[in-house]
């Protein structure tokens, strides 16, 4: 996490002239504040007109925060793993859609969201999630 080594690495990599740049070696147990500090410090040495990618980050909060810093792409297993287990990230926080209380719930997945999920309701989403889980258990 040495910021001087990160600076040197970024500068030398930019000298080579790649079409894009990745920042890695983060999100492996260090505090989030430290991850942000390293990303922010490294970004200043990477060209803003080339794609800048951060590996291994992806909570909803991180996606917004790092995009605002100038990161163009991120990846993380978290969103896929969460969805596979019936966990939804909403403006009201996390929702475990597999819970029985959502089976007959006709409320929207996220009432504060303006995208297509506003038309989806919790009950059928819960049923679909449970059906998929039963199919996966067959394998």
């Amino acid at each position: 996490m040495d910021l001087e080594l990160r600076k040197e690495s970024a500068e030398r990599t930019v000298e080579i002239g790649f079409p894009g740049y990745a920042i890695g070696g983060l999100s492996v147990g260090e505090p989030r504040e430290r991850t942000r500090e390293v990303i922010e410090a490294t970004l200043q040495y990477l060209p803003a007109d080339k794609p800048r990618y951060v590996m291994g980050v992806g909570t909803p909060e991180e996606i917004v925060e790092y995009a605002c810093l100038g990161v163009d792409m991120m990846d993380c297993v978290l969103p896929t793993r969460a969805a596979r287990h019936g966990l939804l990230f909403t403006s009201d926080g996390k929702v475990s859609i597999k819970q029985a209380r959502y089976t007959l719930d006709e409320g929207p997945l996220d009432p504060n969201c303006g995208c297509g999920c506003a038309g989806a309701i919790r009950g059928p989403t819960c049923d679909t999630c449970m059906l998929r889980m039963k199919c996966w258990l067959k394998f």
Side-chain angles (χ1 to χ4, degrees):
M1 296 297 175
D2 185 306
L3 296 182
E4 279 302 311
L5 289 176
R6 294 265 176 179
K7 175 186 176 196
E8 181 182 346
S9 175
E11 290 174 339
R12 287 184 178 204
T13 305
V14 169
E15 286 175 12
I16 296 170
F18 290 108
Y21 299 90
I23 301 171
L26 300 166
S27 296
V28 290
E30 72 280 349
R32 277 195 173 154
E33 301 81 35
R34 183 65 176 154
T35 298
R36 184 188 198 286
E37 178 185 337
V38 171
I39 290 171
E40 193 170 20
T42 306
L43 282 172
Q44 65 183 315
Y45 302 106
L46 300 176
D49 63 337
K50 305 272 179 145
R52 299 181 297 181
Y53 162 64
V54 176
M55 295 183 249
V57 299
T59 66
E61 298 83 11
E62 289 171 334
I63 290 169
V64 172
E65 181 177 7
Y66 299 147
C68 289
L69 290 176
V71 173
D72 300 297
M73 296 172 282
M74 292 155 261
D75 76 334
C76 184
V77 299
L78 177 65
T80 303
R81 182 183 300 138
R84 205 170 46 237
H85 294 285
L87 182 64
L88 308 177
F89 295 101
T90 73
S91 59
D92 293 328
K94 297 175 186 174
V95 172
S96 181
I97 200 67
K98 290 182 186 179
Q99 293 177 352
R101 65 184 168 146
Y102 295 119
T103 305
L104 301 175
D105 190 335
E106 294 188 12
L109 294 177
D110 188 341
N112 299 317
C113 184
C115 80
C117 79
I121 59 176
R122 293 176 176 176
T125 303
C126 177
D127 291 342
T128 302
C129 187
M130 296 308 284
L131 178 62
R132 286 186 180 150
M133 187 175 78
K134 289 174 188 172
C135 289
W136 289 331
L137 291 175
K138 290 180 182 178
F139 294 102

PDB file of all heavy atoms in Angstrom, residues 1 6 23-28 30 38 55:
ATOM      1  N   MET A   1       0.811  -1.201   0.000  1.00  0.00           N
ATOM      2  CA  MET A   1       0.000   0.000   0.000  1.00  0.00           C
ATOM      3  C   MET A   1       0.854   1.265   0.000  1.00  0.00           C
ATOM      4  O   MET A   1       0.354   2.336   0.235  1.00  0.00           O
ATOM      5  CB  MET A   1      -0.908   0.031   1.217  1.00  0.00           C
ATOM      6  CG  MET A   1      -1.915  -1.072   1.264  1.00  0.00           C
ATOM      7  SD  MET A   1      -3.006  -0.906  -0.110  1.00  0.00           S
ATOM      8  CE  MET A   1      -3.955  -2.349   0.108  1.00  0.00           C
ATOM      9  N   ARG A   6       3.180   3.016  -5.581  1.00  0.00           N
ATOM     10  CA  ARG A   6       2.023   3.116  -6.476  1.00  0.00           C
ATOM     11  C   ARG A   6       2.250   4.217  -7.514  1.00  0.00           C
ATOM     12  O   ARG A   6       1.945   4.056  -8.694  1.00  0.00           O
ATOM     13  CB  ARG A   6       0.744   3.409  -5.687  1.00  0.00           C
ATOM     14  CG  ARG A   6       0.319   2.296  -4.774  1.00  0.00           C
ATOM     15  CD  ARG A   6      -0.680   1.444  -5.458  1.00  0.00           C
ATOM     16  NE  ARG A   6      -1.040   0.291  -4.633  1.00  0.00           N
ATOM     17  CZ  ARG A   6      -1.912  -0.596  -5.002  1.00  0.00           C
ATOM     18  NH1 ARG A   6      -2.525  -0.478  -6.152  1.00  0.00           N
ATOM     19  NH2 ARG A   6      -2.183  -1.631  -4.248  1.00  0.00           N
ATOM     20  N   ILE A  23      -5.969  -0.635 -11.485  1.00  0.00           N
ATOM     21  CA  ILE A  23      -5.457  -0.485 -10.122  1.00  0.00           C
ATOM     22  C   ILE A  23      -5.916  -1.729  -9.379  1.00  0.00           C
ATOM     23  O   ILE A  23      -7.113  -1.994  -9.268  1.00  0.00           O
ATOM     24  CB  ILE A  23      -6.022   0.781  -9.441  1.00  0.00           C
ATOM     25  CG1 ILE A  23      -5.650   2.032 -10.234  1.00  0.00           C
ATOM     26  CG2 ILE A  23      -5.536   0.869  -8.002  1.00  0.00           C
ATOM     27  CD1 ILE A  23      -6.344   3.299  -9.745  1.00  0.00           C
ATOM     28  N   GLY A  24      -4.979  -2.505  -8.882  1.00  0.00           N
ATOM     29  CA  GLY A  24      -5.324  -3.747  -8.202  1.00  0.00           C
ATOM     30  C   GLY A  24      -4.630  -3.861  -6.862  1.00  0.00           C
ATOM     31  O   GLY A  24      -4.005  -2.926  -6.373  1.00  0.00           O
ATOM     32  N   GLY A  25      -4.757  -5.043  -6.282  1.00  0.00           N
ATOM     33  CA  GLY A  25      -4.121  -5.296  -4.998  1.00  0.00           C
ATOM     34  C   GLY A  25      -4.837  -4.649  -3.836  1.00  0.00           C
ATOM     35  O   GLY A  25      -4.246  -4.426  -2.779  1.00  0.00           O
ATOM     36  N   LEU A  26      -6.102  -4.344  -4.018  1.00  0.00           N
ATOM     37  CA  LEU A  26      -6.900  -3.702  -2.970  1.00  0.00           C
ATOM     38  C   LEU A  26      -8.073  -4.601  -2.605  1.00  0.00           C
ATOM     39  O   LEU A  26      -8.304  -5.623  -3.240  1.00  0.00           O
ATOM     40  CB  LEU A  26      -7.427  -2.353  -3.475  1.00  0.00           C
ATOM     41  CG  LEU A  26      -6.346  -1.342  -3.872  1.00  0.00           C
ATOM     42  CD1 LEU A  26      -6.948  -0.205  -4.661  1.00  0.00           C
ATOM     43  CD2 LEU A  26      -5.650  -0.819  -2.637  1.00  0.00           C
ATOM     44  N   SER A  27      -8.809  -4.185  -1.605  1.00  0.00           N
ATOM     45  CA  SER A  27     -10.001  -4.913  -1.145  1.00  0.00           C
ATOM     46  C   SER A  27      -9.661  -6.328  -0.695  1.00  0.00           C
ATOM     47  O   SER A  27     -10.379  -7.280  -0.981  1.00  0.00           O
ATOM     48  CB  SER A  27     -11.074  -4.946  -2.246  1.00  0.00           C
ATOM     49  OG  SER A  27     -11.495  -3.648  -2.517  1.00  0.00           O
ATOM     50  N   VAL A  28      -8.546  -6.448  -0.029  1.00  0.00           N
ATOM     51  CA  VAL A  28      -8.130  -7.758   0.490  1.00  0.00           C
ATOM     52  C   VAL A  28      -7.980  -7.710   2.004  1.00  0.00           C
ATOM     53  O   VAL A  28      -7.117  -8.370   2.575  1.00  0.00           O
ATOM     54  CB  VAL A  28      -6.837  -8.260  -0.196  1.00  0.00           C
ATOM     55  CG1 VAL A  28      -7.104  -8.645  -1.629  1.00  0.00           C
ATOM     56  CG2 VAL A  28      -5.727  -7.220  -0.119  1.00  0.00           C
ATOM     57  N   GLU A  30      -7.917  -4.593   3.903  1.00  0.00           N
ATOM     58  CA  GLU A  30      -7.589  -3.294   4.480  1.00  0.00           C
ATOM     59  C   GLU A  30      -8.871  -2.484   4.675  1.00  0.00           C
ATOM     60  O   GLU A  30      -9.878  -2.761   4.024  1.00  0.00           O
ATOM     61  CB  GLU A  30      -6.588  -2.524   3.596  1.00  0.00           C
ATOM     62  CG  GLU A  30      -7.160  -1.983   2.304  1.00  0.00           C
ATOM     63  CD  GLU A  30      -7.272  -3.020   1.195  1.00  0.00           C
ATOM     64  OE1 GLU A  30      -6.724  -4.125   1.339  1.00  0.00           O
ATOM     65  OE2 GLU A  30      -7.936  -2.727   0.200  1.00  0.00           O
ATOM     66  N   VAL A  38      -5.746   4.980  -1.492  1.00  0.00           N
ATOM     67  CA  VAL A  38      -4.825   4.441  -2.492  1.00  0.00           C
ATOM     68  C   VAL A  38      -5.362   4.683  -3.900  1.00  0.00           C
ATOM     69  O   VAL A  38      -4.612   5.091  -4.796  1.00  0.00           O
ATOM     70  CB  VAL A  38      -4.552   2.941  -2.239  1.00  0.00           C
ATOM     71  CG1 VAL A  38      -3.783   2.322  -3.392  1.00  0.00           C
ATOM     72  CG2 VAL A  38      -3.795   2.750  -0.932  1.00  0.00           C
ATOM     73  N   MET A  55      -9.883  -3.181  -9.680  1.00  0.00           N
ATOM     74  CA  MET A  55     -10.255  -4.585  -9.503  1.00  0.00           C
ATOM     75  C   MET A  55     -10.761  -4.855  -8.093  1.00  0.00           C
ATOM     76  O   MET A  55     -10.216  -4.351  -7.117  1.00  0.00           O
ATOM     77  CB  MET A  55      -9.025  -5.463  -9.744  1.00  0.00           C
ATOM     78  CG  MET A  55      -8.511  -5.403 -11.155  1.00  0.00           C
ATOM     79  SD  MET A  55      -7.121  -6.519 -11.364  1.00  0.00           S
ATOM     80  CE  MET A  55      -5.810  -5.334 -11.566  1.00  0.00           C
TER      81      MET A  55
END
